[in-house]
Amino acid sequence: MIQSVRADITTLAVDAIVNAANETLLGGGGVDGAIHRAAGPELLATCRRLGGCRTGEACITPGFRLAAKWVIHTVGPVWRGGKYHEPQLLESCYRNVFDIALQRRVRTIAFPAISTGVYGYPKDQAAQIALTAARAYENRFDLIILCSYSDQDKAIYDALLVSR
Ligand code: ADP
């Protein structure tokens, strides 16, 4: 099942939450900052040992103080107009996160709207990519949450979900 939810992703009691990280994995603003604050300092220490992550790729850490057992970190593309492989890179984020989640036997997972904050990806286009990926993996999970941080952002997913 795919669900559109408006929430602070750090509060969700799912097996894994996804972090829209940057290539350093050393924390940042937005959802990344919120996840690091909620998970506690062990998360930063663990991320430091991973030594970074390339755009489009993903890696996993424990959730430490979060309700979620795991955090799967992925680095979305910075939007540069759409001619620099941004769609392929964003698709690759979702695919790589799902593949890592399957390896760890994750059954419930929540995604923020990767790249749609500071990285500037157009929200409608990003939501299409998120939903297409979620539908491709839907059968292999109990619950895939597409988590929005505002009612306006949630409305974008809701509109796409009804037009199935
Ligand atoms: P990026 O650098 O990938 O654009 P941001 O963190 O700036 O990442 O934004 C990604 C999305 O996460 C945005 O839609 C933003 O509104 C949302 N967001 C920010 N904080 C949270 C949070 N605590 N829970 C869920 N979503 C959040």
Side-chain angles (χ1 to χ4, degrees):
M1 184 178 27
I2 300 171
Q3 246 176 32
S4 161
V5 168
R6 191 192 66 75
D8 173 352
I9 200 167
T10 64
T11 66
L12 297 178
V14 285
D15 294 339
I17 64 170
V18 177
N19 184 17
N22 58 53
E23 285 193 333
T24 70
L25 293 181
L26 298 182
V31 72
D32 194 5
I35 288 173
H36 275 274
R37 278 192 298 279
E42 299 95 331
L43 181 60
L44 182 58
T46 304
C47 283
R48 196 165 269 136
R49 285 197 290 274
L50 294 175
C53 177
R54 289 207 183 87
T55 300
E57 297 183 355
C59 62
I60 191 165
T61 66
F64 298 103
R65 299 178 198 178
L66 291 165
K69 180 173 186 195
W70 304 106
V71 179
I72 304 177
H73 308 260
T74 188
V75 183
V78 175
W79 180 258
R80 294 195 288 152
K83 297 208 172 110
Y84 294 87
H85 309 291
E86 294 94 327
Q88 292 86 339
L89 289 166
L90 189 58
E91 281 160 26
S92 147
C93 287
Y94 282 94
R95 200 170 50 244
N96 285 320
V97 167
F98 277 127
D99 288 341
I100 288 180
L102 287 170
Q103 286 164 21
R104 299 300 174 123
R105 310 224 180 287
V106 164
R107 303 295 310 172
T108 57
I109 185 166
F111 287 84
I114 300 162
S115 281
T116 66
V118 175
Y119 282 4
Y121 208 109
K123 291 180 182 221
D124 287 290
Q125 293 175 50
Q128 284 278 9
I129 288 171
L131 194 54
T132 302
R135 281 176 176 152
Y137 283 85
E138 184 173 11
N139 297 340
R140 285 179 271 175
F141 291 85
D142 293 335
L143 178 63
I144 298 170
I145 294 178
L146 300 175
C147 178
S148 305
Y149 205 43
S150 71
D151 287 325
Q152 274 167 312
D153 289 355
K154 179 175 182 291
I156 297 172
Y157 283 128
D158 290 346
L160 291 174
L161 276 165
V162 296
S163 70
R164 186 187 267 256

